[in-house]
């Protein structure tokens, strides 16, 4: 059974940093595109970043230059390093797995099959 477990959320002040992790269980993690999404209260879930099986990355314009997605295939773990956090980054962050090795722009929910339970990130001004 496929399971994605996020961790690393928390509360920080604007300008601070957080590193999210997503541990994957039950499937061949290294073969597939992985993504991070976020959902703020009252808003739709949006794609933040994605990384394919070769390590190629894509980012939403809103986080480009501040967030870095990476993966450790030996540990079956996905990461999101978030620097220069802003209050508008406040949201529940989800990791997701696609069943293809390549990632497509834009990063949209329908291309991803498995989802984690989410981790809260709160940025105060």
């Amino acid at each position: 059974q496929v399971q994605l477990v996020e961790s690393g959320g928390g509360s920080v002040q604007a300008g601070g940093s957080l590193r999210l992790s997503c541990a994957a269980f039950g499937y061949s993690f290294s073969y597939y595109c992985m993504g991070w999404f976020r959902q703020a209260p009252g808003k739709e879930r949006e794609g933040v970043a994605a990384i394919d099986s070769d390590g190629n990355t894509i980012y939403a314009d809103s986080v480009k230059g501040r967030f870095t997605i990476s993966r450790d295939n030996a540990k079956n773990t996905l990461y999101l390093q978030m620097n220069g956090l802003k209050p508008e980054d406040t949201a529940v962050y989800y990791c997701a797995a696609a069943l293809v090795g390549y990632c497509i722009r834009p990063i949209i929910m329908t291309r991803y099959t498995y989802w984690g339970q989410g981790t809260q990130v709160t940025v105060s001004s």
Side-chain angles (χ1 to χ4, degrees), residues 82-106:
M82 305 185 294
N83 299 328
L85 283 161
K86 305 175 181 180
E88 52 263 43
D89 295 318
T90 295
V92 177
Y93 283 70
Y94 300 87
C95 70
L99 290 182
V100 291
Y102 54 91
C103 301
I104 298 174
R105 190 188 303 275

Side-chain angles (χ1 to χ4, degrees), residues 2 4 16-17 20 25 27 39 46 70 72 82 96-97 101-102 111:
V2 176
L4 302 175
S17 298
L20 305 183
F25 305 92
Y27 79 113
Q39 188 166 19
E46 62 172 352
S70 62
D72 185 335
M82 305 185 294
Y102 54 91
R111 292 175 178 154

Side-chain angles (χ1 to χ4, degrees), residues 10-24:
S11 297
V12 295
Q13 290 191 328
S17 298
L18 283 174
R19 187 193 196 201
L20 305 183
S21 299
C22 172

Side-chain angles (χ1 to χ4, degrees), residues 68-124:
T68 303
I69 187 171
S70 62
R71 65 194 299 163
D72 185 335
N73 290 335
K75 295 182 179 180
N76 277 13
T77 303
L78 178 73
Y79 302 100
L80 185 67
Q81 178 67 43
M82 305 185 294
N83 299 328
L85 283 161
K86 305 175 181 180
E88 52 263 43
D89 295 318
T90 295
V92 177
Y93 283 70
Y94 300 87
C95 70
L99 290 182
V100 291
Y102 54 91
C103 301
I104 298 174
R105 190 188 303 275
I107 308 165
I108 58 176
M109 290 180 59
T110 53
R111 292 175 178 154
Y112 294 80
T113 304
Y114 300 112
W115 293 84
Q117 82 289 349
T119 185
Q120 177 71 46
V121 171
T122 302
V123 185
S124 58

